[in-house]
Amino acid sequence: MSATRLLVLGGVRGFGRAHGYEVRRELLSWGSDEWANVNPGSIYHALKQLAKEGLLRVYEVAEGDAGPPRTDYEITEPGEAEFFRLLRAAIVEVNVPRPELLSAALGFLTELPRDEAIALFERRLEGLAEWRASVVPHLEAGESAGGERPGFDHLQELLGWWVHSADTAAAWTRGLVERLRDGAYVMAGEAEPPRPAPAPGPTEG
């Protein structure tokens, strides 16, 4: 699964209708070029490919007072479905060596209803436990083998790092689930909390 695909669909969706430069500027402002390897070229390529697949609608805007000619994009109904499919998959699927997938999903966390987000992260916890369980036997086998594999014993550090990463990720995920249950963030379908009335100013004498 591509983090770029999720980011670009979500970026266009957030604007409603946008041209490539707006999507590029928004995604790069998230630092996605560093943590997801999303560069300007990959953004423009994704926009064209998603339009070709019918997930984005294309508008050719002629030159006018608003500026030079440009191509605008708007998400379609199939694009909306694909965005949520990718978002849910990025939360549930565990890929510890590729954290950019979850990072991309977290950028759109509040697009989900609260109950669904909690359920998806609980499924992620199950996946983390399964992934950890698949690594631990290899780690324990290496430890029991001792020096039987000269030149490869340092790979135990890699396996240990993966187990540590799974444990840390699970602790963070449990914390997020608890925060969501406690009402953190305004999720999809929820109204913004009412703003407190401003304190009255001094009365004139």
Side-chain angles (χ1 to χ4, degrees):
M1 182 174 61
S2 167
T4 302
R5 190 177 177 91
L6 172 58
L7 286 166
V8 171
L9 278 173
V12 173
R13 182 177 181 273
F15 279 107
R17 174 170 162 171
H19 56 82
Y21 178 75
E22 287 176 312
V23 177
R24 167 190 165 184
R25 182 181 58 195
E26 178 70 11
L27 295 183
L28 295 184
S29 74
W30 296 9
S32 58
D33 53 327
E34 297 181 0
W35 52 261
N37 197 30
V38 175
N39 56 55
S42 64
I43 292 171
Y44 288 117
H45 174 76
L47 286 167
K48 292 178 181 178
Q49 181 60 33
L50 291 166
K52 183 178 178 181
E53 295 175 26
L55 304 179
L56 295 177
R57 186 175 295 109
V58 176
Y59 298 90
E60 297 297 343
V61 181
E63 182 174 7
D65 294 338
R70 66 179 190 272
T71 302
D72 281 0
Y73 297 90
E74 181 180 60
I75 197 164
T76 62
E77 188 173 334
E80 185 92 357
E82 176 70 356
F83 165 74
F84 280 104
R85 185 191 72 80
L86 292 171
L87 177 56
R88 293 172 180 125
I91 293 174
V92 171
E93 293 177 12
V94 172
N95 195 330
V96 172
R98 292 190 60 196
E100 71 274 10
L101 297 174
L102 179 60
S103 298
L106 290 174
F108 305 110
L109 172 63
T110 56
E111 301 302 314
L112 293 167
R114 186 174 302 277
D115 288 346
E116 182 180 9
I118 290 172
L120 289 170
F121 279 102
E122 286 178 334
R123 286 176 59 191
R124 183 174 184 83
L125 279 171
E126 294 173 1
L128 283 165
E130 292 172 3
W131 192 83
R132 185 187 190 281
S134 72
V135 175
V136 167
H138 300 286
L139 179 63
E140 293 175 344
E143 290 171 347
S144 62
E148 294 179 10
R149 299 180 66 206
F152 291 91
D153 52 328
H154 63 283
L155 294 181
Q156 290 297 104
E157 298 297 340
L158 174 60
L159 296 173
W161 167 246
W162 283 351
V163 170
H164 172 77
S165 298
D167 289 341
T168 303
W172 173 86
T173 304
R174 284 190 290 270
L176 175 57
V177 168
E178 197 62 34
R179 290 189 293 277
L180 288 171
R181 284 186 175 138
D182 288 344
Y185 317 118
V186 178
M187 305 296 287
E190 298 176 351
E192 289 276 358
R195 296 179 180 273
T203 58
E204 294 184 2

